[in-house]
Every structure is written in structure tokens, then in C-alpha cells.
Amino acid sequence: PAEVTDELDGVNGELCQEIDADAYSAISQADQLHQEPESIRKWREEQITHLAELDANSREAELEWREKAKKELEDWYIQQAEQLEEMKSNNSTNIKQHCYNLQQAAEAS
């Protein structure tokens, strides 16, 4: 009985290997049928390259915009500081002038 099961295992093992080989060849054939044509593959690769270039250009433009915005913001802060100083100076002058006018009016009365 042990010899018979060994023979059956050997037969079954060979049979399984044949079934596996057939399954793999069927899958391989199906893959070959479903492979995309060369022109589509080439187009897809070109699109990937093109999109990568666009991304790089976009990142470069974004960096330029950020630098420009940073410069404009710095200039705006400088301008605001100058206007504030000018306004303080004008207000100080106006207050001194107003006080002087009040003082003269008081002396004249």
C-alpha cells in the first residue's frame, strides 16, 4: 500500500505540475493579448516626461512668485514705516504750532 501511494503521489505531483504550467502559460498568453501597443506605451512615456517638465516649471514659477511677493511685502513695510514717521513728525509739528497759537492768544487777552 505504501508503494501504491508513492506512485499516486508521483503521478499526482506530475499532474499538478502540468496544471500549474498550463495555468501560467494561459496567464502569460492573456498578458500578451492585453499588453498595450507600442504607440500607446510611447505616448504614455512622453506624457509622463511632459508632465514632469510642467511640474518643474510650475515649481520654478512658484519660487519666483514667492520671492517677488516677499520683496513687495518688505517694500510695503518700509513704505508704511516711512509714512508713520512722517505722520508722527507732522502731528508733533501741528501740536507744537497749536500750543504756540493758544499761548499767543492767551497773552493777547
Side-chain angles (χ1 to χ4, degrees), residues 57-74:
N57 292 341
S58 176
R59 283 189 294 272
E60 185 178 318
E62 182 180 352
L63 288 175
E64 289 174 7
W65 292 335
R66 285 180 184 266
E67 288 298 319
K68 183 179 177 185
K70 184 177 177 182
K71 173 80 169 101
E72 288 177 359
L73 186 60
E74 289 172 356

Side-chain angles (χ1 to χ4, degrees), residues 5-21:
T5 55
D6 287 341
E7 288 177 15
L8 287 177
D9 286 342
V11 170
N12 285 338
E14 290 174 14
L15 183 60
C16 287
Q17 288 176 353
E18 288 177 18
I19 290 173
D20 287 344

Side-chain angles (χ1 to χ4, degrees), residues 80-98:
Q80 291 299 312
E82 290 171 355
Q83 286 181 353
L84 181 63
E85 288 302 316
E86 184 180 335
M87 192 181 309
K88 284 180 181 179
S89 175
N90 287 342
N91 286 345
S92 177
T93 302
N94 289 341
I95 289 173
K96 288 178 185 175
Q97 184 66 36
H98 182 67

